[in-house]
């Protein structure tokens, strides 16, 4: 498995590879990945059709993926194409090589789902997670491993990271709560505005397993189950609630 530490060590190689991309491919890639512009806005910025944008970005990604032959799970491109972009951009446009990325996640859970595609849609829509789209793995991996219709995806929430994939009992011995009849763990998530987050989850039809309440340890929290029964605990400290102008119990 190529983890985030290995990814950061590959950074100079990736920077060099980006520098070697044709200018048209590099411009499209940077606008989409670093500036987070959708294909339509990249096309407008460059004055080219959306189809051309897709082709250029796909060609660029293909060239960058050739840097690693890591089987199955790979976070190389996920960690290269996220935060600390100013440092990376300096390296791309100049001669400075950044050191090991300090944003990398040294520990993160991998959750199993019977339908990871539906789980991805649910987690982004209901809980507001953001997918590291450049990291998604599916189809045939660089080393020739056939995943079929299954995929691996990485989702961010602030500095937090979670990996989702299909149930995998044979190799990784991980199952969906649907397979075992109950959840066996809970993922804790610190949010910036728990009141707004709770309202969004309720509006999107989330299964609330513990209603919002102010906890004895100085936080406001609620709990919910996702589409296959994984348990999530969302909370915000009372101190942060006061900082944003909210009210808390005396």
């Amino acid at each position: 498995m190529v983890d985030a530490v290995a990814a950061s060590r590959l950074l100079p190689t990736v920077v060099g590879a980006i520098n070697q991309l044709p200018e048209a491919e590099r411009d499209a890639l940077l606008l989409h990945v670093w500036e987070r512009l959708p294909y339509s806005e990249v096309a407008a910025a460059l004055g080219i059709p959306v189809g051309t944008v897709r082709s250029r970005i796909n060609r660029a990604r293909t060239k960058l993926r050739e840097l690693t032959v890591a089987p199955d799970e790979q976070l190389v491109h996920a960690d290269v194409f996220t935060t600390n972009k100013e440092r990376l951009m300096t390296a791309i446009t100049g001669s400075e090589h950044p050191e090991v990325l300090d944003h990398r996640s040294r520990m993160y859970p991998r959750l199993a789902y019977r339908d990871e595609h539906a789980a991805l849609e649910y987690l982004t829509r209901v809980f507001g997670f953001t997918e590291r789209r450049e990291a998604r793995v599916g189809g045939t991996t660089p080393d020739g491993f056939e995943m079929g219709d299954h995929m691996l995806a990485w989702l961010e929430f602030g500095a937090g990271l979670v990996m989702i994939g299909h149930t995998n009992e044979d190799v990784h011995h991980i199952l969906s709560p649907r397979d075992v009849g109950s959840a066996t763990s809970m993922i804790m998530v610190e949010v910036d505005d728990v009141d707004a987050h709770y309202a969004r989850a309720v509006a999107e039809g989330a299964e609330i397993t513990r209603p919002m309440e102010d906890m004895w340890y100085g936080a406001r929290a609620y709990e919910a189950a996702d589409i296959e029964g994984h348990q999530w605990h969302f909370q915000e400290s009372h101190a942060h609630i006061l900082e944003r102008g909210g009210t808390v119990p005396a």
Side-chain angles (χ1 to χ4, degrees):
M1 174 179 176
V2 179
D3 61 13
V5 175
S8 63
R9 291 172 180 167
L10 282 176
L11 181 57
T13 303
V14 176
V15 170
I18 292 175
N19 274 323
Q20 295 301 314
L21 289 173
E23 183 178 358
E25 295 177 9
R26 185 172 63 247
D27 289 347
L29 181 69
L30 296 182
L31 286 173
H32 179 58
V33 173
W34 270 277
E35 300 305 325
R36 298 184 180 275
L37 296 182
Y39 288 143
S40 59
E41 293 185 19
V42 175
L46 298 178
I48 57 178
V50 173
T52 303
V53 171
R54 293 181 184 277
S55 297
R56 290 180 181 179
I57 292 176
N58 286 338
R59 287 197 298 270
R61 284 173 173 163
T62 298
K63 293 172 183 176
L64 294 177
R65 289 191 182 104
E66 292 173 355
L67 294 175
T68 176
V69 292
D72 195 4
E73 303 160 310
Q74 52 183 332
L75 281 178
V76 174
H77 307 298
D79 280 300
V80 168
F81 295 139
T82 47
T83 58
N84 284 353
K85 64 182 180 182
E86 289 81 8
R87 294 173 62 198
L88 191 52
M89 286 296 291
T90 298
I92 292 171
T93 58
S95 58
E96 177 186 344
H97 275 185
E99 298 175 354
V100 174
L101 296 179
D102 57 12
H103 76 280
R104 65 192 186 279
S105 299
R106 294 177 180 267
M107 180 183 295
Y108 59 92
R110 171 173 173 169
L111 304 180
Y113 293 88
R114 290 182 180 178
D115 187 342
E116 64 274 26
H117 295 275
L120 174 62
E121 188 279 333
Y122 184 94
L123 294 173
T124 54
R125 173 175 55 84
V126 178
F127 295 150
F129 293 173
T130 301
E131 183 191 4
R132 290 183 175 181
R133 184 62 184 83
E134 288 71 30
R136 188 188 297 186
V137 179
T140 303
T141 63
D143 67 325
F145 180 77
E146 294 289 345
M147 297 185 65
D149 294 330
H150 302 317
M151 71 167 183
L152 298 173
W154 286 262
L155 304 178
E156 294 178 317
F157 195 94
L161 180 67
V162 63
M163 175 183 178
I164 68 172
H166 196 69
T167 55
N168 191 312
E169 185 173 11
D170 295 337
V171 177
H172 298 302
H173 310 290
I174 54 176
L175 296 170
S176 165
R178 284 186 177 177
D179 297 320
V180 298
S182 65
T184 59
S185 63
M186 176 176 286
I187 302 92
M188 317 295 285
V189 184
E190 191 78 24
V191 301
D192 290 331
D193 187 335
V194 72
D195 300 295
H197 196 275
Y198 181 74
R200 172 178 179 164
V202 171
E204 292 291 347
E207 179 187 348
I208 305 300
T209 56
R210 185 174 182 177
M212 180 98 78
E213 63 178 311
D214 288 287
M215 312 300 290
W216 60 268
Y217 52 83
R220 184 170 299 160
Y222 78 95
E223 295 173 3
D226 68 23
I227 194 171
E228 291 197 17
H230 289 290
Q231 293 294 315
W232 299 84
H233 175 102
F234 298 99
Q235 73 172 34
E236 180 185 9
S237 71
H238 283 170
H240 192 275
I241 292 174
L242 291 173
E243 287 178 5
R244 63 174 171 82
T247 60
V248 299

